[in-house]
């Protein structure tokens, strides 16, 4: 369906995320990640939602909330770039977002549900793109990026944080 992004389609600091994405159609990957992440989020007990594996680290709720926020930001970038908007898009400070989020005041089940809604929205957006839109280029956070790369970044970012949740939070808690 759609080829993997080339190295010139995204900033090099996203390579860690790109390396996590399997070689299959990206929409299929996002759908599978939706199922897998939702299952993980729903198995975590509510009383564990504010667990941090170390001082100064985000809680489980904050990690999930960060994944949601990041997907929204990346999907917004993807939407604008896919529609031909050439306006450079600014970056965002993930720590400031989490600090202002109040994720810990929300039930874990609500965050799990919100993730599912946001991911389904992302998938719908991607399914509506024409082939040429996947190649659209723009600038985000002062780096060139394509629509295709943004889809892969979202997939790899979510998987990165799901692996951290599994390794440092769920298995240790």
């Amino acid at each position: 369906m759609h080829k993997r992004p080339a190295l010139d389609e995204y900033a090099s600091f996203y390579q860690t995320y790109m390396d996590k994405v399997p070689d299959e159609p990206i929409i299929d990957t996002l759908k599978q990640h939706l199922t897998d992440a939702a299952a993980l989020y729903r198995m975590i007990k509510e009383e564990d939602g504010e667990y941090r594996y170390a001082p100064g680290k985000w809680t489980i709720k904050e990690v999930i909330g960060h994944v949601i926020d990041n997907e929204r930001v990346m999907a917004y970038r993807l939407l604008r770039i896919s529609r031909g908007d050439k306006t450079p898009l600014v970056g965002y400070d993930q720590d400031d977002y989490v600090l202002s989020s109040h994720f810990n005041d929300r039930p874990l089940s609500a965050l799990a549900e919100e993730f599912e809604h946001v991911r389904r929205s992302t998938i719908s957006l991607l399914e509506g793109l024409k082939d040429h839109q996947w190649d659209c280029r723009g600038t985000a956070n002062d780096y060139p990026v394509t629509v295709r790369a943004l889809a892969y970044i979202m997939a790899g970012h979510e998987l990165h944080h799901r692996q951290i949740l599994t390794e440092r939070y769920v298995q240790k808690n």
Side-chain angles (χ1 to χ4, degrees), residues 1-4 24-27 130-131 134 148 152:
M1 183 177 158
H2 300 283
K3 63 183 181 184
R4 290 183 74 83
E24 62 185 26
I26 190 61
I27 293 174
K130 298 293 185 189
D131 286 343
W134 289 85
R148 174 181 25 263
Y152 277 78

Side-chain angles (χ1 to χ4, degrees), residues 39-146:
L40 173 66
Y41 299 164
R42 291 193 184 285
M43 78 160 231
I44 300 169
K45 296 178 191 136
E46 183 62 41
E47 59 267 21
D48 294 335
E50 293 182 44
Y51 171 75
R52 323 174 178 267
Y53 71 88
K57 295 299 183 179
W58 292 340
T59 65
I60 291 172
K61 288 180 180 181
E62 289 170 336
V63 171
I64 295 169
H66 164 67
V67 169
I68 294 166
D69 280 354
N70 188 76
E71 182 127 349
R72 282 190 167 119
V73 169
M74 294 298 164
Y76 174 71
R77 291 173 178 178
L78 188 150
L79 171 69
R80 290 194 50 185
I81 293 168
S82 73
R83 302 305 194 250
D85 189 337
K86 298 295 184 194
T87 307
L89 303 170
V90 298
Y92 78 104
D93 186 317
Q94 64 185 17
D95 292 315
D96 285 347
Y97 271 50
V98 169
L99 217 91
S100 302
S101 70
H102 308 287
F103 291 129
N104 289 325
D105 296 341
R106 299 184 55 204
L108 193 53
S109 60
L111 291 169
E113 184 177 339
E114 185 175 350
F115 168 76
E116 292 178 60
H117 290 302
V118 171
R119 176 53 60 91
R120 283 190 185 101
S121 176
T122 297
I123 291 167
S124 293
L125 174 62
L126 292 170
E127 288 177 333
L129 295 178
K130 298 293 185 189
D131 286 343
H132 73 277
Q133 289 176 295
W134 289 85
D135 295 324
C136 289
R137 289 180 178 265
T139 303
N141 200 22
D142 296 324
Y143 292 94
V145 68
T146 63

